[in-house]
Amino acid sequence: MAPPTTAKDNVLDAIVVGAGFAGLYMVHRLREAGLTVRGIEAGDGVGGTWYWNRYPGARCDIPSLLYSYTFSDDLAEQWQWSEKYAPQPEILAYANHVAHRFDLRRSFLFGTRVTSSHFDDAVKRWTVVTDRGDTFSARQVVMATGCLSVPKQPDYPGVDRFRGKSYITGLWPHEGVDFTGQRVAVIGTGSSAIQSLPIVAEQASALTVFQRTPNYSLPACNRTLTAEDVAAFRTAYPEYVAMLRMGQSFIPVFPRDFEPPQADLEAIAPALWNGDGLLSLVAFPNLVRSERVNAVAANYVRDRIAEIVDDPVLAEKLTPRDYPIGAKRACVDTDYYATFNRANVRLVDLRETAIVEITETGVRTRDETIEVDAIVYATGFDAMTGALSRIDIRGRDGLALNDVWADGPRTYLGLQVAGFPNFFLITGPGSPSVLSNMLNSIEVHVDWIADAVLHLRDRQLATIEATGTAQDEWVAHVNEVADQTLFPQANSWYIGANVEGKPRVFMPYVGDNYKQRIDAVAADNYAGFVLSAG
Ligand code: NA7
C-alpha cells in the first residue's frame, strides 16, 4: 500500500468518493471549474461496478448507445460501441477511455478506501480519513459510491470450509475463470446469474442452479451494431440530448393513466420479445401502476417460458407467479431459459427445499448433498445504501448517518441529507437512480451538484444544507408515489428486502419530472436548502 499523501495536498475544495461513471464526471466538472479536487477509489482502476463485475456474460441492460455520457459531443462522436448491449470489458474500456481523454487519473487515489468523513461546524469543513492513513480537509464531499457496489457476502454455515473454489459475481477474479469440465453450483437467479449461467453451462460438466425466486427475463437479441445503427443514432443525437436536458425521456412513454383495452395490450405485449429489454417495459402503458395491464405483460413472458423450456414441470418452477413484472428489476438475457434444456443443467428450487450448509465438497440441502468443484454466489448487493453505511459519516454535532437512516434512508431530492452540510449523494435513495438510465441520472446529479457548489463559491457562501422540513416532505412524497405503484409488492433490492434486517423502504423515486423538480429548486434560490455565509 502506498504511503499516505502529504499534508500540503490535503486541504481541498472537494473530495469525491468513487471512480465509477459518477465519480469520473464529478471530478471532471469540479476540476474544470477550477476547484481543487481529490477522488478516492477502493479499486485499483476506474469503472466502479464495471471494474468489479467481471463475471462471464456481464453486460449492460440498457442499449450501449444510450448507456453513454452526453456531456461531451466529441466523446460521443469518437467512441464506437461494438454491440447493442456492450460486454463488461468494453464498458470498462469506455471508462478508461474517458479517464484518459480527460486526464482524470491524476486526481484520484486508487486502492484506497474512505473510512470516515466528519463535519467540523467550527470551520465548516469535512475531515475525510482513508484506510491507508490519509487525512483530508474538504469543503465539499460527494459520495459517488454506486448503488450496487457492496456485494452480499455468503453467510451459509460452512462457507469457509469448502475445499473447491468460491466466487462472488460482484468480486470476480481479474484473470477470469474457466469452468471447463467442472461441477459448478450457482446460487441466485438475478441478473448476474441470468447473464452468466448460459456461458457457465457451456463450460461446466454439471451445473446446478439454486433458485429462491424465479425472475422475469426478456431476450436481449444482442447483435453487432451496424454502421446504419450508428448513423441513425448520430442523426437523432441532437434531439436526444435536447430531450435529456429538458428532463424528458427519449423512450416513448405513454401517459400514466393510459390504459388501453385488453386486445390492444395483447397486441403490444410481443414488443417485450423484440430485444428492447427494459425499454420495452418502460414503454408498456401503465405497467407498474395497473394490475390488469401488468398481468398481460407478465402472462406474455410466462407463456414464452412455457414455450422455451421443454420440461413443463421445470418451466413452471422457472415461472414467476407471485409478483408483478417490473416490480423487481427484470433481466435481459441471451438464452437464459433455454439453458435449462441442457442435459448438464439442473435447477434446485429453494421454495421446495433449503440450503442447510456448505460442506467441504459441496452444497447440502434439506434433501441431499450436491458435490461440486466450484460455487458461484450470485446473491446480489446491499443496494443503494450499502457503501454509505460502511463509512463512518458524521454531520453537524456528530450526527451519524447510520443513526439518521436507522429506519431507512431519508434524503431531500436524493441529493442531500438534513444535518450534513456540503455533503452530496449521486443517484442516492430518493432519486430515480436505478429505475432510470444510470448514465443520464449521473449526469443530471453531477451537473446539479457542480452548479450548487459553484453557486456557493461565486457568492462566497460557506454551506448548503437540506432543511429537515423539506426532507420530511420529500420523503413523504417519495413514499406516496411509490405506494401508487406495484413496486412494493415484490421483495426486491429496491426495497431492501434482500438483506436480512434492512429496513423495508422503497428507495428509488418513481414520480414524474424529477429533473424539472430539482432544476426548479435550484432556480428558486435552492428552496428547501439553507445557504449560509459561515
Ligand atoms: P440480484 O438481482 O439481487 O439477484 C440476487 C439473486 O440471489 C436473487 O435471485 C436472490 O433471490 C438470490 N439470493 C440472494 N440471497 C440468497 C440466499 N441467501 N439464498 C439463495 N438465493 C439468494 O443481484 P444481481 O447481482 O443478480 O443483479 C443486481 C443488478 O445488477 C441487476 O438488477 C442489474 O441492475 C444489474 P431473491 O430474488 O432475493 O429471492
Side-chain angles (χ1 to χ4, degrees):
M1 189 178 276
T5 50
T6 57
K8 73 177 169 46
D9 298 327
N10 292 10
V11 178
L12 300 155
D13 291 319
I15 288 279
V16 175
V17 188
F21 285 120
L24 289 176
Y25 182 41
M26 192 76 245
V27 164
H28 175 62
R29 270 291 323 255
L30 294 178
R31 220 177 60 180
E32 285 290 287
L35 270 63
T36 54
V37 190
R38 176 63 79 179
I40 304 176
E41 163 61 52
D44 287 328
V46 303
T49 201
W50 300 106
Y51 174 88
W52 300 103
N53 283 269
R54 300 175 189 234
Y55 59 83
R59 49 181 80 242
C60 51
D61 56 10
I62 299 276
S64 319
L65 289 168
L66 305 180
Y67 195 76
S68 305
Y69 287 121
T70 61
F71 71 85
S72 160
D73 287 344
D74 285 350
L75 173 65
E77 187 73 25
Q78 282 166 6
W79 183 261
Q80 302 276 346
W81 293 109
S82 67
E83 294 176 43
K84 183 171 144 193
Y85 295 104
Q88 173 273 333
E90 195 173 330
I91 304 173
L92 186 57
Y94 177 63
N96 277 296
H97 170 76
V98 171
H100 177 71
R101 198 179 179 292
F102 297 97
D103 190 20
L104 298 174
R105 277 196 195 83
R106 68 181 163 86
S107 291
F108 277 92
L109 281 181
F110 291 100
T112 305
R113 254 175 214 286
V114 170
T115 51
S116 70
S117 186
H118 293 183
F119 183 70
D120 181 347
D121 205 10
V123 289
K124 310 267 185 267
R125 294 185 75 88
W126 286 87
T127 302
V128 177
V129 175
T130 76
D131 63 352
R132 54 172 214 169
D134 310 286
T135 301
F136 296 98
S137 168
R139 182 74 68 196
Q140 320 285 343
V141 172
V142 185
M143 303 305 286
T145 40
C147 294
L148 296 165
S149 46
V150 177
K152 283 182 14 171
Q153 294 294 323
D155 56 0
Y156 298 107
V159 161
D160 294 336
R161 210 166 41 185
F162 182 59
R163 289 205 305 256
K165 294 276 194 187
S166 300
Y167 304 99
I168 296 176
T169 46
L171 296 170
W172 203 256
H174 288 201
E175 63 278 14
V177 181
D178 181 2
F179 291 108
T180 302
Q182 293 189 25
R183 299 163 302 168
V184 182
V186 174
I187 303 178
T189 49
S191 182
S192 303
I194 283 177
Q195 291 186 333
S196 56
L197 282 172
I199 297 166
V200 176
E202 279 178 13
Q203 298 173 353
S205 60
L207 169 61
T208 309
V209 181
F210 294 83
Q211 172 189 269
R212 190 163 74 176
T213 311
N215 232 317
Y216 297 95
S217 190
L218 309 175
C221 308
N222 195 28
R223 58 176 174 76
T224 304
L225 283 175
T226 63
E228 291 76 37
D229 294 326
V230 175
F233 185 70
R234 292 244 159 97
T235 305
Y237 191 74
E239 186 201 350
Y240 168 59
V241 173
M243 289 181 90
L244 292 179
R245 299 292 177 265
M246 287 188 298
Q248 288 168 10
S249 169
F250 194 58
I251 307 157
V253 179
F254 295 96
R256 66 162 49 179
D257 52 357
F258 177 66
E259 277 209 37
Q262 195 76 0
D264 291 359
L265 286 171
E266 278 161 16
I268 295 168
L272 297 174
W273 232 244
N274 71 5
D276 282 347
L278 301 183
L279 303 190
S280 60
L281 280 183
V282 172
F284 214 90
N286 237 11
L287 180 92
V288 295
R289 292 190 175 79
S290 160
E291 304 219 7
R292 181 182 74 85
V293 169
N294 195 285
V296 174
N299 284 334
Y300 183 83
V301 177
R302 291 170 186 144
D303 289 348
R304 301 291 78 68
I305 299 170
E307 266 172 17
I308 297 168
V309 180
D310 297 336
D311 173 355
V313 177
L314 181 55
E316 183 53 32
K317 289 182 182 179
L318 287 164
T319 301
R321 297 237 176 245
D322 56 3
Y323 64 96
I325 184 168
K328 183 180 198 127
R329 193 175 178 98
C331 303
V332 180
D333 73 277
T334 300
D335 296 335
Y336 171 63
Y337 296 117
T339 294
F340 288 90
N341 291 333
R342 296 177 64 109
N344 67 334
V345 177
R346 180 186 164 200
L347 184 77
V348 172
D349 189 342
L350 294 176
R351 294 168 302 179
E352 294 172 355
T353 185
I355 296 175
V356 176
E357 62 171 352
I358 307 296
T359 69
E360 290 184 353
T361 56
V363 181
R364 187 164 79 83
T365 69
R366 276 205 305 259
D367 308 303
E368 60 181 322
T369 298
I370 298 161
E371 306 277 327
V372 291
D373 304 303
I375 302 176
V376 175
Y377 297 97
T379 43
F381 297 84
D382 183 354
M384 301 197 73
T385 54
L388 296 164
S389 69
R390 281 158 179 79
I391 300 173
D392 174 20
I393 298 167
R394 286 171 200 267
R396 198 184 288 290
D397 304 323
L399 186 67
L401 186 66
N402 281 334
D403 290 340
V404 177
W405 284 9
D407 296 326
R410 301 177 66 77
T411 68
Y412 178 41
L413 307 174
L415 283 160
Q416 262 215 344
V417 184
F420 297 77
N422 293 358
F423 182 84
F424 298 95
L425 310 173
I426 299 182
T427 63
S431 76
S433 183
V434 292
L435 288 177
S436 65
N437 177 348
M438 285 298 279
L439 266 282
N440 297 159
S441 282
I442 282 168
E443 288 190 325
V444 166
H445 269 185
V446 168
D447 288 338
W448 194 98
I449 293 166
D451 290 348
V453 168
L454 298 180
H455 181 92
L456 296 186
R457 182 190 68 177
D458 295 346
R459 286 159 188 77
Q460 296 181 331
L461 296 167
T463 56
I464 178 169
E465 179 184 353
T467 69
T469 311
Q471 178 168 290
D472 289 348
E473 285 171 9
W474 183 251
V475 170
H477 172 63
V478 169
N479 290 333
E480 186 192 340
V481 291
D483 288 343
Q484 290 161 8
T485 71
L486 308 180
F487 282 109
Q489 291 187 23
N491 288 321
S492 68
W493 53 261
Y494 297 149
I495 212 160
N498 65 328
V499 174
E500 211 173 315
K502 194 164 171 170
R504 200 182 162 95
V505 172
F506 188 76
M507 293 183 277
Y509 175 62
V510 288
D512 296 328
N513 302 325
Y514 174 77
K515 184 177 185 306
Q516 288 94 326
R517 285 171 190 271
I518 64 170
D519 287 349
V521 163
D524 190 13
N525 199 24
Y526 292 93
F529 292 92
V530 171
L531 278 58
S532 85

